[in-house]
């Protein structure tokens, strides 16, 4: 493979969001693409047959789409997008009228320019352009079809007159006035007190009814959303919220139900968990959810089944001692069986669950250990599954599989597993094998640590020549690395680097005990795991000990900064979007509940906060250090990067600070993603 330039990032596409049609015959999915001319990212909607017999058909191009969902009869495909108003029409009291083009300030239109996200729908039987189904002033965040296919339930902000006045004040750069505890959120900025409600919308007339008891508390804002789910019989709508306590001072979320006319509101659960991912059983008598500890996120998130009448709930995956993967909450195969995605020893894989017992079973072993799955969708009849599968050698694409494929044996061919590849979004980037191998080593405490190594072309593990190494540390820390097809790995390996991804103590796919070893500590155990991993590569003859480099984003940035206070084995390091002074960041980020639970309050535990902060030992740093941050990052505020930069530069350490304007805890624009790789590459090459 020729060396991959950073500009090839514009050729990189990301498939996600698979949604299988009710009969299992078709799958809709999303593809994020990067536009070099506009320097922007667009997410388009595609549809394809699940047997892979035809190329995917593009449905959208101009505006980004999200949340594809088939109507119950499979004739329509709805999605959320911020597009120009449908055919110049607006809605007034349920009737379509010509839209007026007045100035926002004069007519009290919502804050911000451009169209707001609404629900749109393609008629998949008759064809034609998408039709707009909602017309909420502040847009729609989530939706679900009614089983009759004639209505939707949507989640949307609904400001009062007082809210409107304040939002207009904000729109005119007036003062920001906040009474609530959670005063800002990453990606959302300064928060307001506008309440999000559920609304039932007629899909034909767009007539709308607000469900007054179905809301996300005004002191909460949108944190996970209401996640509405309509029951199969159409009688009830389930949703997730927190109505009992000060919502800004808790992560607890309960399940509630309400009738479509707004009556019959009741709280279904009181388990003191973070409830998410509501899925009604086919018969409608039970609801499956994911439930996690509100604060101790090292503990595995489990699958629960709730009796829809009594609210009684039981775990059906607790004995597995593995966490539900992000976006992998359980879905029903039939009334007695579910399937979900779990983090399992550095991989994301399928697990079949008995809805009546805690008897989980690992399935789809044909996946193997070299591929990882995400974004699972199951057809209404349980016959077909669709998902994204990452294969470091072959790409990351949407696949569909017959239910029988869950029982395919290890080593089964694709046809034996009923597996069909639906997309091929990065075919031009998969031109040579891209090896990813699993490694293990002992850390200084004698604990076995696991990791993944992405290898350059022509590298021979049996007869190695020492190569430069980029040790890339995952965030979280309640996360884990599994085999992935990503542009970063392609970029570094094409330049001759080995990329090492360490699942350090605290990683969440090895069970609760392994993950909780990090709880209450920072900077020692995970640093040792990362350092000994690199030393293992040196001992094996894979790594050039003079060309070892370290980087990480978010918690990976935290680990990077901590590592360079404790070791000088790295020739250069890059701490990206991290926290380096936990005492100073308290209250300036959006993580105060997490830090309070794990370390107590800073004014009551000053020594603890100082001990876990790399800034306390910054006088020990002599490794050249690149430090990056997003200017509007409220997860790991940019002041943290400034503090670390000034502190090391004061001591004469070679350092560089890069701030990305307008970016939060992410690097979204493709030109900045390219700049990031150029900066890291130059920094490592110069050192």
């Amino acid at each position: 493979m020729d060396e991959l330039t950073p500009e090839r990032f514009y050729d990189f596409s990301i498939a996600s969001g698979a949604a299988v049609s009710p009969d299992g015959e078709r799958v809709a999915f999303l593809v994020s693409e990067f536009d070099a001319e506009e320097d922007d990212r667009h997410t388009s909607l595609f549809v394809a047959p699940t047997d892979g017999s035809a190329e995917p058909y593009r449905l959208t191009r101009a505006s980004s789409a999200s949340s594809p969902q088939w109507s119950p009869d499979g004739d329509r495909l709805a999605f959320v997008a911020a597009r120009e108003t449908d055919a110049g029409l607006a809605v007034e009291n349920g009737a379509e009228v010509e839209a007026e083009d007045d100035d926002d300030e004069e007519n009290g239109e919502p804050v911000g320019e451009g169209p707001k996200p609404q629900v749109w729908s393609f008629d998949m039987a008759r064809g034609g352009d998408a039709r707009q189904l909602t017309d909420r002033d502040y847009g729609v965040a989530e939706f679900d079809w009614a089983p009759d296919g004639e209505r939707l339930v949507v989640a949307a902000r609904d400001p009062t007159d007082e809210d409107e006045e304040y939002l207009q004040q904000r729109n005119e750069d007036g003062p920001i006035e906040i009474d609530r505890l959670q005063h800002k959120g990453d990606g959302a900025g300064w928060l307001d007190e506008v309440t999000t409600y559920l609304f039932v919308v007629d899909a034909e007339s767009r007539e709308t009814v607000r469900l007054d008891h179905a809301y996300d508390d005004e002191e909460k804002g949108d944190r996970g959303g209401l996640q509405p789910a309509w029951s199969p019989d159409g009688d009830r709508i389930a949703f997730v919220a927190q109505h009992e306590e000060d919502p800004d001072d808790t992560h607890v979320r309960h399940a509630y139900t309400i009738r479509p006319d707004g009556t019959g509101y009741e709280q279904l659960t009181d388990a003191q968990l973070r409830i998410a991912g509501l899925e009604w059983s086919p018969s409608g008598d039970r609801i499956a959810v994911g439930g996690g500890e509100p604060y101790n996120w090292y503990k595995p998130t489990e699958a629960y089944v709730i009796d829809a009448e009594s609210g009684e709930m039981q775990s059906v995956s607790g004995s597995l001692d593995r966490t539900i993967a992000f976006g992998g909450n359980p879905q029903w195969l039939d009334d007695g069986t579910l399937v979900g995605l779990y983090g399992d020893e550095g991989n994301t894989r399928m697990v079949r669950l008995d809805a009546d017992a805690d008897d989980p079973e690992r399935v789809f072993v044909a996946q193997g250990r070299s591929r990882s799955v995400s974004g699972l969708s199951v057809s209404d009849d349980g016959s077909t599954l669709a998902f994204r599968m990452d294969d470091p050698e072959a790409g990351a694409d949407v696949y569909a599989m017959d239910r029988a494929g869950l029982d395919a044996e290890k080593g089964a061919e694709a046809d034996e597993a009923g597996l069909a590849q639906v997309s091929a979004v990065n075919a031009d980037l998969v031109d040579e094998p891209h090896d990813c191998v699993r490694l293990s080593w002992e850390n200084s405490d004698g604990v076995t640590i696991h990791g993944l190594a992405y290898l350059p072309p022509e590298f021979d593990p049996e007869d190695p020549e020492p190569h430069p190494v980029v040790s890339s540390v995952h965030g979280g820390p309640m996360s884990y690395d599994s085999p992935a097809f990503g542009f970063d790995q392609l970029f570094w390996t094409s330049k001759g680097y080995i990329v090492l991804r360490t699942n350090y103590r605290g990683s969440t796919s090895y069970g609760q005990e392994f993950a909780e070893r990090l709880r209450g500590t920072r900077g020692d155990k995970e640093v040792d795991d990362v350092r000994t991993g690199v030393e293992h590569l040196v001992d094996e003859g894979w790594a050039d000990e003079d060309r070892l480099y370290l980087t990480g984003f978010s918690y990976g940035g935290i680990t990077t900064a901590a590592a360079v206070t404790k070791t000088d084995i790295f020739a250069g390091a890059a701490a990206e979007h991290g926290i380096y002074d936990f005492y100073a960041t308290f209250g300036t980020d959006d993580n105060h509940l997490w830090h309070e639970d794990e370390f107590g309050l800073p004014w009551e535990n000053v020594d603890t906060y100082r001990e876990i902060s790399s800034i306390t030992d910054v006088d020990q740093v002599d490794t050249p250090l690149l430090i990056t941050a997003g200017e509007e990052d409220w997860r790991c505020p940019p002041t943290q990067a400034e503090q670390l930069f000034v502190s090391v530069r004061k001591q004469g350490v070679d350092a560089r600070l890069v701030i990305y304007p307008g970016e939060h805890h992410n690097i979204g624009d493709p030109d900045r993603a390219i700049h990031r790789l150029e900066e890291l590459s130059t920094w490592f090459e110069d050192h």
Side-chain angles (χ1 to χ4, degrees):
M1 181 171 67
D2 295 333
E3 183 174 320
L4 206 64
T5 64
E7 288 75 17
R8 290 294 304 280
F9 185 74
Y10 285 117
D11 300 326
F12 184 66
S13 298
I14 303 170
S16 64
V20 188
S21 62
D23 61 6
E25 297 295 321
R26 292 173 291 178
V27 58
F29 61 95
L30 305 170
V31 177
S32 293
E33 302 162 298
F34 301 97
D35 189 317
E37 290 186 7
E38 296 185 16
D39 185 36
D40 203 359
R41 167 177 173 166
H42 296 290
T43 301
S44 299
L45 179 62
F46 289 76
V47 67
T50 51
D51 62 5
S53 60
E55 293 292 317
Y57 178 72
R58 182 191 290 268
L59 291 173
T60 68
R61 185 184 298 273
S63 54
S64 285
S66 65
S67 308
Q69 188 178 149
W70 296 87
S71 63
D73 61 8
D75 286 346
R76 287 159 295 165
L77 178 61
F79 60 101
V80 175
R83 301 164 54 132
E84 294 300 327
T85 302
D86 184 11
L89 294 173
V91 170
E92 184 176 295
N93 297 324
E96 294 183 345
V97 297
E98 288 297 323
E100 299 179 2
D101 187 19
D102 293 332
D103 183 85
D104 283 358
E105 284 190 29
E106 295 180 1
N107 66 11
E109 285 296 306
V111 175
E113 299 179 356
K116 301 296 185 289
Q118 307 289 350
V119 180
W120 297 73
S121 175
F122 282 104
D123 188 321
M124 303 301 290
R126 295 186 295 178
D129 197 6
R131 177 177 179 272
Q132 186 176 339
L133 302 186
T134 64
D135 191 28
R136 300 297 308 169
D137 283 349
Y138 285 81
V140 169
E142 308 163 275
F143 76 96
D144 190 33
W145 285 99
D148 59 17
E150 298 177 358
R151 295 169 293 168
L152 303 168
V153 57
V154 305
R157 282 158 60 85
D158 194 30
T160 63
D161 290 343
E162 184 178 353
D163 291 333
E164 289 273 14
E165 183 178 345
Y166 173 66
L167 293 174
Q168 191 61 49
Q169 172 182 304
R170 288 273 302 272
N171 197 37
E172 297 171 352
D173 295 326
I176 297 169
E177 304 167 359
I178 299 177
D179 297 317
R180 57 184 295 182
L181 175 63
Q182 189 70 49
H183 61 289
K184 61 184 177 182
D186 185 61
W190 301 102
L191 299 180
D192 53 49
E193 298 184 5
V194 176
T195 303
T196 295
Y197 288 92
L198 292 184
F199 297 82
V200 172
V201 181
D202 186 285
E204 184 63 32
S205 69
R206 298 190 233 179
E207 291 182 354
T208 302
V209 176
R210 193 178 84 175
L211 309 184
D212 291 344
H213 294 291
Y215 64 90
D216 201 14
D217 195 286
E218 64 182 18
E219 297 297 317
K220 186 76 172 183
D222 182 10
R223 191 180 306 161
L226 288 162
Q227 305 173 43
W230 213 311
S231 65
D233 61 8
D235 286 346
R236 302 194 70 79
I237 297 168
F239 64 97
V240 172
Q242 166 55 268
H243 293 168
E244 300 305 311
E245 305 173 27
D246 177 0
D248 275 354
D249 207 24
T250 180
H251 283 314
V252 171
R253 303 273 280 178
H254 300 302
Y256 300 81
T257 61
I258 194 168
R259 294 192 183 96
D261 63 1
T263 64
Y265 160 79
E266 62 178 306
Q267 182 177 324
L268 191 60
T269 65
D270 188 18
Q272 299 302 302
L273 295 171
R274 288 180 292 114
I275 297 293
L278 305 172
E279 292 281 345
W280 290 88
S281 64
S283 63
D285 61 347
R286 293 188 286 187
I287 302 173
V289 301
E293 286 291 318
Y295 311 105
N296 180 8
W297 296 353
Y298 298 98
K299 184 177 179 181
T301 298
E302 300 174 21
Y304 291 85
V305 171
I306 305 170
D307 185 285
E309 291 299 323
S310 68
E312 181 181 347
M313 60 189 297
Q314 64 170 337
S315 172
V316 294
S317 72
S319 63
L320 189 65
D321 191 27
R322 294 291 185 269
T323 191
I324 295 177
F326 180 76
N329 283 311
Q331 299 183 51
W332 296 88
L333 292 169
D334 55 50
D335 263 324
T337 317
L338 302 115
V339 62
L341 301 183
Y342 282 77
D344 189 27
E345 297 189 356
N347 207 348
T348 304
R349 61 175 304 163
M350 297 183 199
V351 173
R352 184 162 50 205
L353 306 165
D354 185 331
D356 297 298
D358 184 358
D359 188 24
E361 176 189 10
R362 292 170 172 87
V363 289
F364 187 39
V365 295
Q367 170 189 334
R369 297 278 292 151
S370 62
R371 300 185 295 184
S372 186
V373 296
S374 60
L376 179 65
S377 173
V378 179
S379 63
D380 287 353
D381 62 7
S383 66
T384 308
L385 299 84
F387 45 88
R388 165 176 150 157
M389 186 155 60
D390 275 58
D391 185 333
E393 294 188 19
D397 281 293
V398 175
Y399 287 76
M401 181 176 70
D402 295 336
R403 176 175 175 173
L406 293 175
D407 295 310
E409 297 181 358
K410 183 177 181 180
E413 298 294 332
D415 57 348
E416 295 175 322
L419 185 67
Q421 182 172 344
V422 173
S423 72
V425 298
N426 288 299
D428 57 338
L429 292 177
V430 187
D431 54 4
E432 288 191 26
H434 178 63
D435 287 343
C436 173
V437 298
R438 291 187 176 274
L439 303 173
S440 62
W441 60 91
E442 281 194 1
N443 65 15
S444 298
D445 295 327
V447 177
T448 299
I449 302 298
H450 300 272
L452 299 167
Y454 296 85
L455 306 179
E458 312 303 330
F459 182 83
D460 184 356
E462 301 300 323
D463 186 21
E465 292 184 6
H467 278 59
V469 171
V470 173
S471 178
S472 182
V473 185
H474 73 69
M478 303 86 160
S479 182
Y480 58 92
D481 273 314
S482 59
F485 181 86
F487 190 83
D488 275 27
Q489 288 93 308
L490 292 172
F491 172 74
W492 291 116
T493 55
S494 78
K495 292 174 69 68
Y497 290 84
I498 295 171
V499 178
L500 177 64
R501 306 280 296 186
T502 299
N503 279 319
Y504 50 85
R505 283 169 286 184
S507 300
T508 49
S509 66
Y510 298 87
Q512 182 176 352
E513 192 275 334
F514 183 86
E516 284 197 319
R517 294 181 189 186
L518 191 64
R519 181 170 167 81
T521 73
R522 289 294 183 271
D524 291 319
K525 296 178 180 179
E526 70 275 41
V527 166
D528 184 71
D529 298 345
V530 169
R531 177 183 58 80
T532 53
V534 173
E535 292 174 344
H536 174 70
L537 294 186
V538 173
D539 292 342
E540 292 294 309
W542 290 21
D544 182 343
E545 61 183 347
D546 295 324
R547 292 187 293 167
L548 306 177
Y549 305 98
L550 177 64
T551 188
F553 194 97
S554 189
Y555 195 84
I558 295 172
T559 303
T560 296
V564 296
T565 69
K566 301 177 184 299
T567 179
D568 59 2
I569 68 168
F570 297 104
E576 304 183 74
H577 290 56
I579 291 174
Y580 316 110
D581 186 341
F582 283 88
Y583 190 93
T585 198
F586 190 88
T588 68
D589 60 24
D590 62 2
N591 270 332
H592 59 91
L593 293 181
W594 171 18
H595 294 156
E596 179 183 355
D597 175 72
E598 196 163 350
F599 308 114
L601 295 169
W603 53 90
E604 296 176 354
N605 296 281
V606 177
D607 290 344
T608 297
Y609 275 78
R610 295 304 188 199
E611 288 169 4
I612 64 175
S613 300
S614 57
I615 203 74
T616 303
D617 300 315
V618 74
D619 60 327
Q620 302 299 309
V621 177
D622 58 17
T623 302
L625 191 58
L626 173 67
I627 306 162
T628 74
E631 187 181 40
E632 298 178 6
D633 186 345
W634 303 135
R635 186 65 40 80
C636 298
T639 51
Q640 291 285 303
E642 297 174 67
Q643 186 178 359
L644 180 61
F645 171 71
V646 170
S647 298
V648 295
R649 280 296 297 270
K650 279 280 188 181
Q651 300 173 85
V653 175
D654 188 4
R656 179 176 174 82
L657 176 65
V658 177
I659 304 293
Y660 291 102
E663 296 285 0
H664 50 98
H665 199 56
N666 188 16
I667 298 180
D669 286 355
D671 66 327
R672 292 169 181 169
I674 289 169
H675 179 274
R676 168 186 170 267
L677 283 175
E678 291 173 337
E679 284 288 315
L680 266 65
S681 178
T682 300
W683 190 255
F684 294 161
E685 289 170 0
D686 288 349
H687 296 91

